[in-house]
Amino acid sequence: KDRSPRLLQPVLRDDPIYGNLEVDRKLFPVYFHPLVQRLNYVRQLSFAYLVFPSASHTRLSHILGVMRNARLALRTIFDKHRLYRAGKSEPDQIGLTQEEQDKFCLKAELCALLHDVGHLIHDLPQDIAEKGVDTQHEALGSAWLSRWFGTEVTEPVRLHVEAKRYLCTAEPGYFDRLSEASKLSLRLQGGPLS
């Protein structure tokens, strides 16, 4: 095992939206991978920072925020011991042990950490959406990740754009909270589900 000081300390990332975000040590091999670290140099909002200097959010900041939200959502569900499903009047009871819950959260955080990897494996420019091109990064990322991970990781990566399209239809106000760049990519990805 690597006992370097870097791997013994928790990673705290100062996020412009959420403040300090911690990365679980079990995710360090993925988090410190050069491909994931490259996301720190890709702007989430393309070249908007040239006009709006505070629009400096990187894709790495984005995925860490998604990780935080995935963990928070699952912990809330687990704390209530209930899972509400569309079309059902009564919630399902969740009977997972603490260890099972922790593993489930870790898998969700891993999926969140990898969900935008498809942006790094194509050779298209960063502002390609502004030219009307959908990179289909979710399919590229899922296919690329399938060399190392099973469907527990690749399917959430493949389906995260469909999830955004669904949420824009099903959750009031979700679309309005999207950034302009996300609204543009949503249009290219087929818009809200109908």
Side-chain angles (χ1 to χ4, degrees):
K1 288 186 171 187
D2 187 348
R3 296 273 181 206
S4 65
R6 175 184 76 141
L7 293 180
L8 295 176
Q9 300 298 319
V11 171
L12 291 175
R13 169 90 184 201
D14 185 28
D15 182 78
I17 297 171
Y18 300 112
N20 281 335
L21 297 176
E22 186 171 343
V23 177
D24 189 302
R25 286 190 183 110
K26 292 175 184 151
L27 296 174
F28 281 10
V30 175
Y31 177 77
F32 284 114
H33 189 280
L35 188 64
V36 172
Q37 288 300 305
R38 238 177 79 193
L39 290 168
N40 201 37
Y41 303 99
V42 178
R43 304 285 181 162
Q44 180 70 9
L45 301 175
S46 189
F47 294 108
Y49 73 97
L50 296 173
V51 178
F52 304 102
S54 64
S56 60
H57 203 65
T58 66
R59 290 228 184 254
L60 186 58
S61 292
H62 165 70
I63 63 172
L64 290 175
V66 172
M67 249 177 56
R68 174 219 178 254
N69 290 339
R71 181 185 328 116
L72 182 63
L74 286 173
R75 288 292 176 205
T76 301
I77 290 169
F78 293 148
D79 287 347
K80 294 179 187 259
H81 302 287
R82 289 182 176 83
L83 179 63
Y84 294 88
R85 297 178 193 258
K88 290 185 74 178
S89 59
E90 294 297 318
D92 293 333
Q93 293 293 319
I94 298 176
L96 300 176
T97 66
Q98 187 61 49
E99 183 180 346
E100 291 169 327
Q101 291 176 25
D102 292 344
K103 284 182 181 179
F104 201 90
C105 284
L106 192 64
K107 287 178 186 177
E109 290 179 47
L110 176 62
C111 293
L113 191 58
L114 295 171
H115 84 275
D116 270 349
V117 74
H119 287 294
L120 297 174
I121 57 176
H122 60 66
D123 57 358
L124 299 169
Q126 186 174 331
D127 63 344
I128 195 65
E130 295 165 17
K131 296 176 179 155
V133 175
D134 175 15
T135 64
Q136 298 182 350
H137 75 283
E138 68 282 9
L140 288 171
S142 177
W144 186 79
L145 289 169
S146 69
R147 295 186 275 177
W148 299 282
F149 297 99
T151 57
E152 287 182 325
V153 172
T154 60
E155 281 300 283
V157 170
R158 184 180 71 80
L159 294 171
H160 81 271
V161 167
E162 289 298 306
K164 176 175 82 170
R165 294 181 64 209
Y166 168 78
L167 287 169
C168 285
T169 301
E171 187 177 310
Y174 188 88
F175 177 83
D176 296 330
R177 293 190 305 269
L178 295 177
S179 69
E180 289 306 313
S182 192
K183 288 177 183 177
L184 171 61
S185 67
L186 177 69
R187 281 193 297 277
L188 297 174
Q189 294 157 343
L193 290 178
S194 54

